[in-house]
Amino acid sequence: MDTKVYPLSTLSRSATWQEGTRTSVKIILKDPIVSRLLSRSNLTRAQFETLLVDQLGHDMANKQLTRTEMAQLMRNKEGISRGALNRTLRQARENVSEAIHTILLLGYGGLMDSPALAPFVEASELLKSQMTQFGELAEGDPKLYGERIDMLIEDLEAAFQALYQKRVTRDVT
């Protein structure tokens, strides 16, 4: 995922910190890799957006944000209520915690060994690196950029299928 924080000056000289931060969040949410991974995760789009604003919003806005300001950045110009922000953030954190505990349980129970996880950790680092390079490519050759993104998504799908097939094979024998 391209977690690059876009300075307000690049987005628009007249943009407010809210507009600039909203634009940065939208850019991340429109990333095709983020979309694909999000569709297979146990987070909703709203939960992921809330985590983004909570974790990266301060850097995007170039200022310390209050919960009220974070809520104003969410989804549309009007934002959401502070209560809705807090509720969605709590749900997102619970889902992330449950996912981590699931991985720990699978490892501890011998259902998934640590070496099986290593390619996914490496893949996430490689994705970040490649997306930075692809971002530069997008400026020069949008068609090639799209082709590379499609190839990355296909490779991700193949990795998920390989993991699934490995489990099916174990179940059958």
Side-chain angles (χ1 to χ4, degrees):
M1 174 182 70
D2 180 15
T3 55
K4 181 177 175 184
V5 177
Y6 299 89
L8 293 179
S9 59
T10 355
L11 297 172
S12 168
R13 291 274 178 210
S14 62
T16 66
W17 66 266
Q18 293 101 330
E19 292 167 340
T21 305
R22 240 185 237 114
T23 299
S24 291
V25 170
K26 285 179 185 177
I27 288 168
I28 292 169
L29 291 173
K30 287 182 179 178
D31 182 305
I33 302 295
V34 168
S35 296
R36 181 57 59 105
L37 292 173
L38 189 57
S39 73
R40 290 186 160 266
S41 79
N42 65 344
L43 292 175
T44 65
R45 181 180 168 93
Q47 290 170 351
F48 183 71
E49 179 183 3
T50 304
L51 283 172
L52 275 175
V53 170
D54 180 61
Q55 297 297 308
L56 301 176
H58 306 295
D59 293 332
M60 291 177 192
N62 291 323
K63 67 177 251 151
Q64 191 66 28
L65 298 175
T66 66
R67 287 279 193 230
T68 300
E69 290 170 331
M70 286 181 196
Q72 291 170 349
L73 293 172
M74 302 300 296
R75 291 188 208 94
N76 56 42
K77 291 241 184 221
E78 293 81 41
I80 59 175
S81 71
R82 252 182 50 193
L85 173 87
N86 290 331
R87 186 172 40 261
T88 304
L89 184 57
R90 186 188 76 248
Q91 291 167 345
R93 287 177 175 165
E94 287 171 1
N95 284 345
V96 170
S97 176
E98 288 172 5
I100 292 168
H101 283 89
T102 299
I103 296 298
L104 291 172
L105 174 65
L106 292 173
Y108 184 76
L111 299 172
M112 180 179 272
D113 52 356
S114 295
L117 295 177
F120 292 97
V121 173
E122 290 173 24
S124 68
E125 291 301 317
L126 184 59
L127 275 174
K128 280 193 254 181
S129 168
Q130 287 181 342
M131 289 310 294
T132 301
Q133 293 171 355
F134 289 173
E136 296 165 5
L137 181 64
E139 295 171 8
D141 190 346
K143 183 180 178 202
L144 184 57
Y145 171 78
E147 291 170 0
R148 294 277 173 90
I149 294 298
D150 290 344
M151 282 180 12
L152 265 176
I153 290 172
E154 287 174 20
D155 289 347
L156 283 173
E157 289 300 322
F160 288 126
Q161 290 301 318
L163 180 64
Y164 177 72
Q165 293 302 325
K166 184 176 179 182
R167 286 186 185 156
V168 170
T169 303
R170 284 186 181 169
D171 289 344
V172 173
T173 56

